[in-house]
Amino acid sequence: MKNLFTKAIVIVLIFNFIASATIWDSMEMASAKLYFKQKNYPKALEFLKAEVSKNPTSEDGWFYMVLVYHELGEIKNLKDAFDHAVVLNPKKAKDLNQMRIVEWAKLFNKGVEDLNNAVDSIGLAKAIESFELTCYVMPESTLNFRNLALTYYRMGDYENAIPNLIIGSDNGKDNMSVKLIGDIYLEKATNFKEQFNNINQENFEKIKNLDMIREKIKSADVKYYLGQPTSINKPKGKKKIEEWSYSKYNLNLTIEDGIVTVVNNQYKPQIDSSNLYLALEYYAKAISILQKGIETFPNDAKISETLMNSFIGAERNDEARSLLETRIQKYPDSKFDHYNLGVFLLKENKFEQAIASFETSLKLDTAMSAARYNLAASYVNWGVKEQERIKKEEQIREEEELKSDKKNKNAKKEKREIDKSYLEKYKLALPYLETIVKDKPDEVPMWELLGQVYANLNDMKKADEAYKKADLIREGKK
């Protein structure tokens, strides 16, 4: 780690205090001053303790106690005595505070030196000890808490780093503290979300597989997604009909001539959301500190990126989308920003804009497979939407013509070409799909999708090959 920590400037002070007893001093105070003059500081401290115990408002007692602790190097005790002395004797507050600053500077510099020289936890522990004392001696300085937090962070002790970083951030005014807090909270949120997904993985897989089961799909596809049925019943007198049951899914199917005709799904998954709630809590914490940071440092790319990832993780999509559009203007070479914006646009069926975003991502990184996959998905979905639109318009037109024919039986029908402009979208999807199945040859859904695109383009040979490849993978033959 680079030596990023600089030392404080040590103020050299010369104290010209004349320790002489006065006629109104108590016996304890007079003895303390005598021993102080003789530089017998332990003995002076003994009488000073007796003095302030007997007289808690003794101005000289607390003042000299600060001097003695300064000489003995007992910094924490010096601070405690200082707090009493400045209240009882405000006129000497300036001199006392200078002494406090001297001791603080020594501690601060020692902490910086220990930290820069640390090669293991022992060295870091020494730095922590010094910085903890600086926080105690001068709690008004956020720099102390910042350095203490950074030392804990370097040690990997995030639990102790966070509260000190929060103080050190000065309500979002220190960008390094904001970044570290944001990173820690985002990492915690991400870990809890991963735990949520891992704990519920089996149920999620079941839900995903069940979503693929619908009427008119092949029975072979059912086995691919769900495995062999728990039981198969063949009703008497109905040779081509089978009733399949999957007990763990609480699912019953009717299969007729190898095709699903009836789906009876009663599955109700039990999802444990406890880790998800913790994830959302830490996403919210990250967002809170990062929003303060971005107000102070609007051009800090790291704070902005972490905030965007926190929005996305928390599924606060409107805020993520707004920030993404701002980031793309500021950081046009960020492949992830273009990709993430493309995902939002694809979900909104804004295909042309989504394609532009994914194409930019691929230009910035030609190996970005996720962008390639979503480019294919954009073109296919666009083609499907166009096909559905054209079909609906054709139905409306036919209904209108039918009404017109009834009114005018002698009207001559005009031959009209069917609009197949949607096929262009399928053609544009092809090179991306072909690359995907080449890179990931065992993906059944991709082979199926490729087969459907070939079929729509009337390339039945390639469509048949793609479907056969999907079937071979299902059967484990590849």
Side-chain angles (χ1 to χ4, degrees), residues 18-27 29-31 33-34 60 64:
I18 300 171
S20 56
T22 61
I23 55 172
W24 53 81
D25 278 338
S26 66
M27 183 274 292
M29 194 66 238
S31 299
K33 286 181 177 180
L34 178 63
D60 273 3
Y64 273 90

mmCIF file of all heavy atoms in Angstrom, residues 18-27 29-31 33-34 60 64:
data_model
loop_
_atom_site.group_PDB
_atom_site.id
_atom_site.type_symbol
_atom_site.label_atom_id
_atom_site.label_comp_id
_atom_site.label_asym_id
_atom_site.label_seq_id
_atom_site.Cartn_x
_atom_site.Cartn_y
_atom_site.Cartn_z
ATOM 1 N N ILE A 18 6.248 28.847 36.314
ATOM 2 C CA ILE A 18 7.066 28.863 37.527
ATOM 3 C C ILE A 18 6.278 28.181 38.630
ATOM 4 O O ILE A 18 5.222 28.659 39.049
ATOM 5 C CB ILE A 18 7.411 30.310 37.944
ATOM 6 C CG1 ILE A 18 8.188 30.998 36.803
ATOM 7 C CG2 ILE A 18 8.197 30.323 39.229
ATOM 8 C CD1 ILE A 18 8.391 32.475 37.022
ATOM 9 N N ALA A 19 6.773 27.015 38.995
ATOM 10 C CA ALA A 19 6.071 26.242 40.012
ATOM 11 C C ALA A 19 6.531 26.690 41.391
ATOM 12 O O ALA A 19 7.536 26.223 41.914
ATOM 13 C CB ALA A 19 6.358 24.750 39.823
ATOM 14 N N SER A 20 5.837 27.637 41.950
ATOM 15 C CA SER A 20 6.179 28.098 43.295
ATOM 16 C C SER A 20 4.931 28.129 44.150
ATOM 17 O O SER A 20 3.849 28.497 43.678
ATOM 18 C CB SER A 20 6.802 29.498 43.230
ATOM 19 O OG SER A 20 5.926 30.389 42.569
ATOM 20 N N ALA A 21 5.084 27.722 45.375
ATOM 21 C CA ALA A 21 3.939 27.659 46.284
ATOM 22 C C ALA A 21 3.558 29.063 46.731
ATOM 23 O O ALA A 21 4.385 29.978 46.755
ATOM 24 C CB ALA A 21 4.296 26.802 47.494
ATOM 25 N N THR A 22 2.289 29.237 47.050
ATOM 26 C CA THR A 22 1.794 30.513 47.564
ATOM 27 C C THR A 22 1.208 30.276 48.941
ATOM 28 O O THR A 22 0.930 29.136 49.324
ATOM 29 C CB THR A 22 0.712 31.092 46.629
ATOM 30 O OG1 THR A 22 -0.376 30.164 46.568
ATOM 31 C CG2 THR A 22 1.262 31.333 45.236
ATOM 32 N N ILE A 23 0.990 31.385 49.647
ATOM 33 C CA ILE A 23 0.553 31.253 51.041
ATOM 34 C C ILE A 23 -0.843 30.650 51.133
ATOM 35 O O ILE A 23 -1.229 30.135 52.175
ATOM 36 C CB ILE A 23 0.597 32.608 51.769
ATOM 37 C CG1 ILE A 23 -0.238 33.644 51.005
ATOM 38 C CG2 ILE A 23 2.024 33.089 51.924
ATOM 39 C CD1 ILE A 23 -0.391 34.961 51.783
ATOM 40 N N TRP A 24 -1.641 30.753 50.031
ATOM 41 C CA TRP A 24 -3.003 30.221 50.102
ATOM 42 C C TRP A 24 -3.125 28.809 49.525
ATOM 43 O O TRP A 24 -4.201 28.265 49.433
ATOM 44 C CB TRP A 24 -3.980 31.154 49.384
ATOM 45 C CG TRP A 24 -3.575 31.500 47.957
ATOM 46 C CD1 TRP A 24 -3.747 30.774 46.860
ATOM 47 C CD2 TRP A 24 -2.877 32.675 47.563
ATOM 48 N NE1 TRP A 24 -3.217 31.390 45.770
ATOM 49 C CE2 TRP A 24 -2.676 32.599 46.169
ATOM 50 C CE3 TRP A 24 -2.396 33.827 48.256
ATOM 51 C CZ2 TRP A 24 -2.021 33.595 45.448
ATOM 52 C CZ3 TRP A 24 -1.764 34.800 47.525
ATOM 53 C CH2 TRP A 24 -1.574 34.682 46.131
ATOM 54 N N ASP A 25 -1.982 28.228 49.088
ATOM 55 C CA ASP A 25 -2.022 26.836 48.611
ATOM 56 C C ASP A 25 -2.307 25.889 49.760
ATOM 57 O O ASP A 25 -1.834 26.094 50.895
ATOM 58 C CB ASP A 25 -0.676 26.445 47.986
ATOM 59 C CG ASP A 25 -0.559 26.923 46.547
ATOM 60 O OD1 ASP A 25 -1.606 27.159 45.911
ATOM 61 O OD2 ASP A 25 0.588 27.050 46.066
ATOM 62 N N SER A 26 -3.027 24.845 49.459
ATOM 63 C CA SER A 26 -3.218 23.774 50.444
ATOM 64 C C SER A 26 -1.912 23.006 50.566
ATOM 65 O O SER A 26 -0.994 23.159 49.740
ATOM 66 C CB SER A 26 -4.327 22.828 49.975
ATOM 67 O OG SER A 26 -3.920 22.137 48.788
ATOM 68 N N MET A 27 -1.836 22.167 51.592
ATOM 69 C CA MET A 27 -0.624 21.364 51.784
ATOM 70 C C MET A 27 -0.396 20.465 50.573
ATOM 71 O O MET A 27 0.727 20.320 50.089
ATOM 72 C CB MET A 27 -0.777 20.517 53.057
ATOM 73 C CG MET A 27 0.456 19.692 53.410
ATOM 74 S SD MET A 27 0.524 18.073 52.572
ATOM 75 C CE MET A 27 -0.831 17.232 53.365
ATOM 76 N N MET A 29 -1.384 20.959 47.433
ATOM 77 C CA MET A 29 -1.007 21.723 46.248
ATOM 78 C C MET A 29 0.426 22.214 46.359
ATOM 79 O O MET A 29 1.185 22.192 45.382
ATOM 80 C CB MET A 29 -1.971 22.900 46.077
ATOM 81 C CG MET A 29 -1.896 23.555 44.707
ATOM 82 S SD MET A 29 -2.451 22.457 43.389
ATOM 83 C CE MET A 29 -0.987 22.425 42.357
ATOM 84 N N ALA A 30 0.785 22.660 47.553
ATOM 85 C CA ALA A 30 2.157 23.146 47.772
ATOM 86 C C ALA A 30 3.159 22.014 47.536
ATOM 87 O O ALA A 30 4.205 22.212 46.890
ATOM 88 C CB ALA A 30 2.293 23.706 49.179
ATOM 89 N N SER A 31 2.836 20.819 48.022
ATOM 90 C CA SER A 31 3.730 19.661 47.840
ATOM 91 C C SER A 31 3.830 19.288 46.364
ATOM 92 O O SER A 31 4.912 18.977 45.849
ATOM 93 C CB SER A 31 3.224 18.466 48.644
ATOM 94 O OG SER A 31 3.187 18.763 50.020
ATOM 95 N N LYS A 33 3.485 21.233 43.742
ATOM 96 C CA LYS A 33 4.299 22.215 43.016
ATOM 97 C C LYS A 33 5.783 22.002 43.297
ATOM 98 O O LYS A 33 6.629 22.151 42.405
ATOM 99 C CB LYS A 33 3.886 23.634 43.408
ATOM 100 C CG LYS A 33 2.552 24.059 42.817
ATOM 101 C CD LYS A 33 2.205 25.494 43.209
ATOM 102 C CE LYS A 33 0.900 25.939 42.560
ATOM 103 N NZ LYS A 33 0.545 27.332 42.918
ATOM 104 N N LEU A 34 6.097 21.666 44.535
ATOM 105 C CA LEU A 34 7.500 21.432 44.897
ATOM 106 C C LEU A 34 8.066 20.250 44.125
ATOM 107 O O LEU A 34 9.145 20.332 43.535
ATOM 108 C CB LEU A 34 7.601 21.191 46.407
ATOM 109 C CG LEU A 34 9.007 20.870 46.936
ATOM 110 C CD1 LEU A 34 9.957 22.046 46.707
ATOM 111 C CD2 LEU A 34 8.942 20.511 48.428
ATOM 112 N N ASP A 60 -5.659 25.219 40.051
ATOM 113 C CA ASP A 60 -4.240 24.838 39.959
ATOM 114 C C ASP A 60 -4.076 23.323 39.939
ATOM 115 O O ASP A 60 -3.188 22.792 39.268
ATOM 116 C CB ASP A 60 -3.469 25.430 41.137
ATOM 117 C CG ASP A 60 -2.978 26.849 40.856
ATOM 118 O OD1 ASP A 60 -3.314 27.358 39.756
ATOM 119 O OD2 ASP A 60 -2.289 27.421 41.699
ATOM 120 N N TYR A 64 -2.068 21.784 36.839
ATOM 121 C CA TYR A 64 -0.779 21.098 37.012
ATOM 122 C C TYR A 64 -0.879 19.621 36.669
ATOM 123 O O TYR A 64 0.103 18.997 36.239
ATOM 124 C CB TYR A 64 -0.234 21.309 38.441
ATOM 125 C CG TYR A 64 0.567 22.578 38.559
ATOM 126 C CD1 TYR A 64 -0.056 23.777 38.900
ATOM 127 C CD2 TYR A 64 1.934 22.578 38.314
ATOM 128 C CE1 TYR A 64 0.668 24.956 38.996
ATOM 129 C CE2 TYR A 64 2.666 23.759 38.407
ATOM 130 C CZ TYR A 64 2.030 24.935 38.747
ATOM 131 O OH TYR A 64 2.749 26.096 38.820
#
